Amino acid sequence: MFLLTASYYFYMSWKWEFGFLMLFTSLINYYAGLKISSTKEQGKRKLWLTLALLVSLGILVYFKYANFFIAEGTALLHTLGINIRQSYLNVILPVGISFFTFQALSYSIDVYKGKMHVEKDIIQFLLFVSFFPQLVAGPIERATNLLDQFKKEQHFSTDRFLEGSKLILWGLFKKVVIADRLASYVQQIYVSPETYGGSTLFLATFFFAFQIYCDFSGYSDIAIGSAHILGFKLMQNFNLPYLATSIKDFWHRWHISLSTWFSDYVYKPLGGNRVSKSRWIFNILVVYLVSGLWHGANWTFIAWGAIFGI
């Protein structure tokens, strides 16, 4: 209960209204899990899973993609000669909504597949979705890993405190000393790239690669270290990705929790590689296009996903 209160306080300290959004997503998946596990009828089980998916993803799409779809739809109508006034929804993107939505959905899907026992303790489940160290930027945890850890009584450990603190300090170093210093140079160049020469643009792009890595992996280190101090083991999220030997190997090392999420809940349900070659290629492209859209509501992200998929 203390950790749950702390997690909601942490999340609501930015904008308190969004705490109720996270609570609603959590309750939908908690209730769907109970219903899925309590019935043997496949039709009803699928109905409750579908409800959890539609509601959870519907909230995510509304807050993250509504204005993108409105803009693209308006542009398409203009192309067809139908002129309508373009208007946007006044919505603010809740911090970490993609992360806690995917985390909650992984539970419902795993219960449906029989990979996860249903969680009847609502406090435990709400804490699983909202656990503050990894709430706003991952790693995206699975119920099979994290939920059972909350059931064990934790005691303070000096060794664990020192290990976790070292990881937190290393993450802060990567974020504050490396990423933020590189960002001041990169942003200056990227604001007006047309005014700089090729060598400067190349250097800015080279720096950006390390900026984004140290920024993101630094946060993951802080999250994993914070959880470790409290006695909880989060999954590894980065494993020296720039030493990868191929694009496939890169995605086994970069944002591992997201890559494995898409593999388990999108790629494999589509058939994975156990299908015809054309369907296999289609499955890969779908996963990376969705991954690109997950990263941002913009055609540049979709193009980015398509490049990796190809």
Side-chain angles (χ1 to χ4, degrees), residues 160 163-165 167-168 220-230:
R160 211 171 57 221
E163 291 169 2
S165 297
L167 199 54
I168 291 171
S220 290
D221 289 340
I222 294 168
I224 294 168
S226 300
H228 186 67
I229 289 174
L230 296 171

Side-chain angles (χ1 to χ4, degrees), residues 34-291:
L34 291 177
K35 288 296 186 179
I36 290 169
S37 67
S38 65
T39 180
K40 299 294 183 182
E41 287 186 47
Q42 186 61 18
K44 288 185 178 179
R45 296 177 80 251
K46 187 174 288 187
L47 178 65
W48 282 108
L49 176 63
T50 303
L51 178 66
L53 287 167
L54 288 177
V55 173
S56 302
L57 293 177
I59 293 171
L60 176 62
V61 168
Y62 173 77
F63 280 95
K64 193 169 183 177
Y65 304 106
N67 283 326
F68 171 70
F69 290 133
I70 289 171
E72 294 308 313
T74 304
L76 177 61
L77 290 174
H78 284 172
T79 303
L80 298 173
I82 305 171
N83 293 319
I84 61 172
R85 186 173 63 87
Q86 191 172 53
S87 59
Y88 292 102
L89 298 173
N90 185 25
V91 292
I92 300 173
L93 181 64
V95 171
I97 186 171
S98 300
F99 291 90
F100 70 70
T101 298
F102 275 23
Q103 195 149 308
L105 281 176
S106 70
Y107 164 81
S108 298
I109 297 170
D110 283 348
V111 170
Y112 176 79
K113 290 182 175 180
K115 294 181 178 180
M116 172 72 198
H117 59 82
V118 68
E119 179 54 64
K120 295 182 179 179
D121 188 332
I122 191 169
I123 301 299
Q124 303 274 6
F125 182 77
L126 292 178
L127 177 58
F128 160 67
V129 179
S130 65
F131 188 45
F132 73 89
Q134 42 83 227
L135 175 58
V136 297
I140 303 170
E141 274 298 337
R142 310 294 176 83
T144 49
N145 175 46
L146 195 55
L147 254 176
D148 286 341
Q149 294 188 54
F150 293 140
K151 300 179 187 302
K152 300 174 184 175
E153 188 173 328
Q154 301 295 342
H155 298 277
F156 179 78
S157 164
T158 303
D159 290 341
R160 211 171 57 221
F161 176 78
L162 292 174
E163 291 169 2
S165 297
K166 288 177 184 176
L167 199 54
I168 291 171
L169 288 172
W170 176 234
L172 283 170
F173 177 82
K174 286 199 285 187
K175 163 63 181 162
V176 178
V177 179
I178 301 177
D180 288 356
R181 299 286 70 76
L182 291 177
S184 62
Y185 176 84
V186 171
Q187 288 170 3
Q188 180 183 342
I189 307 302
Y190 277 14
V191 164
S192 53
E194 67 281 354
T195 62
Y196 297 94
S199 58
T200 304
L201 293 172
F202 176 83
L203 185 62
T205 302
F206 181 76
F207 281 169
F208 178 69
F210 290 94
Q211 173 201 332
I212 194 171
Y213 168 70
C214 289
D215 194 301
F216 202 177
S217 69
Y219 182 90
S220 290
D221 289 340
I222 294 168
I224 294 168
S226 300
H228 186 67
I229 289 174
L230 296 171
F232 306 106
K233 183 178 177 60
L234 301 182
M235 71 181 295
Q236 184 182 17
N237 214 17
F238 290 87
N239 180 25
L240 304 174
Y242 292 152
L243 297 183
T245 56
S246 66
I247 294 295
K248 181 181 179 180
D249 187 33
F250 174 81
W251 283 107
H252 286 162
R253 295 166 173 261
W254 178 282
H255 202 349
I256 299 167
S257 64
L258 180 68
S259 300
T260 53
W261 199 97
F262 276 120
S263 175
D264 290 343
Y265 302 114
V266 180
Y267 178 67
K268 289 177 182 176
L270 286 173
N273 60 357
R274 298 183 177 184
V275 289
S276 65
K277 188 173 182 179
S278 59
R279 178 56 190 261
W280 176 50
I281 293 170
F282 172 80
N283 292 346
I284 291 173
L285 288 174
V286 166
V287 167
Y288 279 101
L289 287 171
V290 172
S291 174

Side-chain angles (χ1 to χ4, degrees), residues 3-14:
L3 281 175
L4 178 62
T5 304
S7 296
Y8 268 83
Y9 174 78
F10 172 78
Y11 190 72
M12 296 171 77
S13 62
W14 172 63

